[in-house]
Each structure stands twice: as structure tokens, then as C-alpha cells.
Amino acid sequence: MSSKKKLKKQETEELVRTQVLNIDEVRKVEKYEKKYSRKPAGICALLGIIMILIGGGTQGYITYQEHLLLDASLGQDDVVERETTESKQQTIISGPADLVCILSMQGNANGTNYYSTFVYSFEDSKLKRVKKDMILDAIPNNPDGYISMTNLYNTYKTYAPVNGTINGYSLTIGPRGEIGFYSTVQADLTLLNQSLIPANIQDNIQVNIKHPLDTDIDTVKEDLESQGFVCNINSSQQLQ
């Protein structure tokens, strides 16, 4: 519990104790007065109770208003603290910077190994270009791996006709001897119309272009890291 909330609870408890003590005092006076004069005692007691209720009600109203102000202050403090935290988390880099993200998947169940390196290029923390490299090999002496690699290679070959047909997007696919194949994607987002990329390519993280022009660096980094990539920022400028 925060110190402000503890203070509010203590004030409320103190108010209750004060009112109980005041009422107890009135009852003592009333008993004393009854002993000597019933009518004056009753009148005094009644007046005393009225005064206490008026005073208690006034104090209660003041305390209630103070609590409302305290709650509003706490709420405002939470907003300010949250906004400050969010602003601190934002990465701002002046000039060019590259976000390099790597994913290595070795000994896969289908008998393959693959290694991906994605490079996202930014200007003033805004995305401008993307380069994706992937190599996929069959695990040596693994018949299942060779079959999986061959099937995947044939799938990637179906992407090849797209190369050179979309402004700002290029895709190169080729063999790695008998053991595997590679793919390389380069995209200039200042030229590319992403809606022109076929759906089957956009469904494949190794060759798609997911993030639009001017996406901030934090969004790209968080997305890639959530998919298992290890990302680092390369920049000659000091991070802010």
C-alpha cells in the first residue's frame, strides 16, 4: 500500500475514534445532570449532541473533500508516472541506424538447420529499408532432412517470378550445392507498394515485408524479439 493511501486510512480511523469519544463525553454529562436536574440536563444533552453532529458532519464533509482531492492527485500522479515511463522507453536515434535481428534454428524436427539475418535500416528511428537473408540446409546423413529441404526449396522457387516485377522489392533464391538453398530479399519502402506483394509471399516471414514505411524502431524490435530473434541496434549516434 502506498504512503498516500495509508495516510487516507489513518485519517478516516482517527475521525471515527474522535466522534466516538465525543459522544461518550456527552453521555457522561447527561448522566451527571440527570442526577440533579432532569430537564436542564436533557436540554443540555440535546444541544450537545446537536453541536457534535454539526461539528462531526462538517469535519466529515471536509475529510470527504480532502479524500476526493487526494484520490484525484493519486490518479494524476499515476498518469504522469505512466507517461514518463513510456517516454523513457522510446528509442530515439538521430541519423541512420540498423537493427540487426538473428534467428538460428538448428536440429529441427524435419531434419534441417536454418539461419536468418534480417537488417532493418532506419533514418531518425523511422524504417526505410529491409534486407532479409536466410540459408536452409539438410542435416548431414539425415534422409528426412534432405527430403524436407528439397520440398522447401521447390516452394521457394515458386516465389522467384516475383523478382523484378514489383518496384522496390527484389527476391533472389538459389542452391547451396547439394545440401540446401538460400533466399535474399531487399526492399526499399520509400518505393514499395506492399499491397502488390502476393499473399503466399506475405505469409512467409523469411521473404515478406510486414512493417510499413516509417515504422518506429521499437515496434520492429519488439515484434522480431517476440518471434525468437535476437536484435541489436547498430548506430554511430548515441542512443537517447
Side-chain angles (χ1 to χ4, degrees):
M1 184 181 295
S2 66
S3 60
K4 290 183 178 179
K5 290 183 178 179
K6 286 181 179 177
L7 177 60
K8 181 170 70 174
K9 182 178 179 181
Q10 290 171 356
E11 289 175 347
T12 302
E13 292 174 347
E14 183 62 26
L15 175 60
V16 172
R17 285 197 298 268
T18 300
Q19 291 180 349
V20 170
L21 289 174
N22 286 338
I23 292 172
D24 285 341
E25 289 298 321
V26 170
R27 287 173 177 169
K28 289 179 182 178
V29 171
E30 183 180 8
K31 288 179 180 180
Y32 177 82
E33 291 292 332
K34 280 181 179 179
K35 207 170 179 184
Y36 299 98
S37 177
R38 292 184 176 275
K39 188 176 292 186
I43 295 173
C44 291
L46 180 60
L47 289 175
I49 291 172
I50 292 173
M51 294 304 294
I52 289 172
L53 290 176
I54 293 173
T58 303
Q59 182 60 43
Y61 178 79
I62 294 172
T63 303
Y64 173 73
Q65 291 296 324
E66 290 175 347
H67 289 170
L68 287 180
L69 292 174
L70 180 58
D71 288 341
S73 176
L74 287 172
Q76 185 63 31
D77 289 345
D78 291 342
V79 171
V80 171
E81 182 178 356
R82 184 168 61 253
E83 291 177 347
T84 301
T85 301
E86 290 174 352
S87 65
K88 287 181 180 178
Q89 291 176 345
Q90 185 178 11
T91 301
I92 301 175
I93 305 173
S94 299
D98 288 336
L99 177 69
V100 180
C101 297
I102 295 172
L103 178 63
S104 177
M105 299 290 289
Q106 307 298 304
N108 298 304
N110 65 353
T112 65
N113 300 321
Y114 75 84
Y115 187 88
S116 301
T117 303
F118 296 174
V119 180
Y120 297 83
S121 298
F122 296 81
E123 293 288 342
D124 297 329
S125 300
K126 301 299 182 182
L127 182 62
K128 303 299 181 183
R129 293 171 297 281
V130 180
K131 185 175 186 292
K132 294 185 172 184
D133 289 300
M134 186 274 296
I135 59 174
L136 187 146
D137 295 334
I139 296 174
N141 303 317
N142 187 324
D144 291 338
Y146 183 81
I147 293 172
S148 297
M149 182 275 295
T150 301
N151 290 337
L152 287 167
Y153 188 22
N154 289 334
T155 298
Y156 273 69
K157 286 178 181 178
T158 65
Y159 304 154
V162 172
N163 188 47
T165 65
I166 302 175
N167 191 29
Y169 179 89
S170 67
L171 171 60
T172 305
I173 297 166
R176 283 171 44 82
E178 298 295 325
I179 63 170
F181 68 96
Y182 72 89
S183 68
T184 298
V185 168
Q186 296 189 72
D188 184 344
L189 301 185
T190 64
L191 303 174
L192 176 63
N193 181 349
Q194 289 174 246
S195 66
L196 298 178
I197 300 176
N200 62 330
I201 291 179
Q202 284 290 61
D203 289 339
N204 187 335
I205 188 176
Q206 304 295 338
V207 292
N208 70 359
I209 301 299
K210 178 179 180 180
H211 303 97
L213 177 68
D214 290 339
T215 301
D216 65 87
I217 195 167
D218 289 325
T219 297
V220 178
K221 186 173 184 290
E222 290 170 7
D223 181 31
L224 270 292
E225 289 179 339
S226 71
Q227 299 180 66
F229 284 79
V230 176
C231 298
N232 290 288
I233 300 174
N234 294 336
S235 173
S236 58
Q237 301 294 323
Q238 184 177 359
L239 300 186
Q240 298 179 7

